[in-house]
Amino acid sequence: MKKILIFIAAVAFTASSFSAGAQGRNDINLYMGFMNATYNSLDKSSNSSSHKDLYSIYEPYYTINSGPSITLDYNRRMLSWMSVGVQSNYSYISGIQKYRIGNAPKKEFSQYMFAVLPQVKFFIPSPRHFRLYAKAGAGVNINIGDSVFGEPLTFAWDVVPIGCEWGGQFVYGTAEVCLGNVIMGARIGIGFRF
């Protein structure tokens, strides 16, 4: 009986050590992003102070409305300093296209943008409750709606030169600085590690 109890205790200890090592290998993050890259590029083109050449008065300009971008990503830690995963993004933009010169009519547009990007995330050595990272992703952007610009399917890329996670090991806050044609600005959100 004593040998059986020792055996069960050894199996339980071994199983708990394996599960502790596997714990925290997956994470899911939900972000709200600011400065949709399409909105940002159209907003710059419709700024009247950016017209330096005569031909630019014949180019269209836009009155634009946009909401926040929503990002959901999943990552699986492969090494202590690297994980791989996928991110999906949703954003919406609407507005009116106008011309300064000519009789071209105004054109209203609205567009839903969905992006799916495989990504790799690199962790920078940092304290346990404040973790720094960088990540990069490339994939496809799907544009749905009556757009006056772009193709229905385009290349999408997203680079995060610096991001941080703070708080607990299972539930934590996260913020990123983003560059790319998905979001050109920042994201803030919440993450879950399991």
Side-chain angles (χ1 to χ4, degrees):
M1 181 70 170
K2 189 175 182 182
K3 289 181 183 179
I4 293 174
L5 289 175
I6 292 173
F7 177 74
I8 291 173
V11 168
F13 178 74
T14 305
S16 69
S17 66
F18 280 126
S19 67
Q23 188 176 28
R25 292 183 60 117
N26 301 291
D27 62 70
I28 294 176
N29 301 296
L30 179 63
Y31 300 93
M32 183 170 66
F34 307 98
M35 295 306 286
N36 170 316
T38 305
Y39 171 83
N40 202 13
S41 65
L42 288 177
D43 190 42
K44 284 180 184 174
S45 72
S46 57
N47 182 356
S48 60
S49 65
S50 67
H51 301 296
K52 297 178 182 167
D53 298 321
L54 184 58
Y55 76 89
S56 63
I57 64 173
Y58 298 100
E59 296 291 318
Y61 71 99
Y62 304 92
T63 303
I64 309 157
N65 299 311
S66 178
S69 298
I70 306 299
T71 302
L72 178 67
D73 76 4
Y74 165 78
N75 297 290
R76 176 152 178 88
R77 188 153 313 201
M78 303 310 254
L79 302 169
S80 63
W81 53 272
M82 183 189 78
S83 65
V84 295
V86 64
Q87 80 170 252
S88 59
N89 298 278
Y90 162 78
S91 56
Y92 171 79
I93 192 169
S94 66
I96 300 171
Q97 178 189 40
K98 303 175 193 173
Y99 288 87
R100 291 179 176 79
I101 293 180
N103 295 327
K106 296 178 183 177
K107 183 175 181 182
E108 293 187 14
F109 65 91
S110 62
Q111 184 170 355
Y112 299 93
M113 293 167 281
F114 302 93
V116 178
L117 299 92
Q119 67 183 7
V120 62
K121 188 173 182 180
F122 302 99
F123 294 94
I124 300 164
S126 30
R128 184 179 169 111
H129 294 290
F130 184 80
R131 297 169 296 276
L132 297 174
Y133 63 87
K135 69 181 179 181
V140 62
N141 197 12
I142 303 163
N143 303 310
I144 300 171
D146 13 300
S147 172
V148 294
F149 54 92
E151 299 294 323
L153 197 64
T154 57
F155 175 72
W157 62 279
D158 187 51
V159 174
V160 174
I162 189 76
C164 64
E165 299 172 352
W166 66 89
Q169 296 302 306
F170 300 106
V171 178
Y172 53 90
T174 183
E176 303 178 337
V177 173
C178 309
L179 306 171
N181 64 354
V182 176
I183 293 179
M184 181 66 79
R187 283 190 283 245
I188 189 164
I190 187 167
F192 306 93
R193 185 171 288 112
F194 56 95

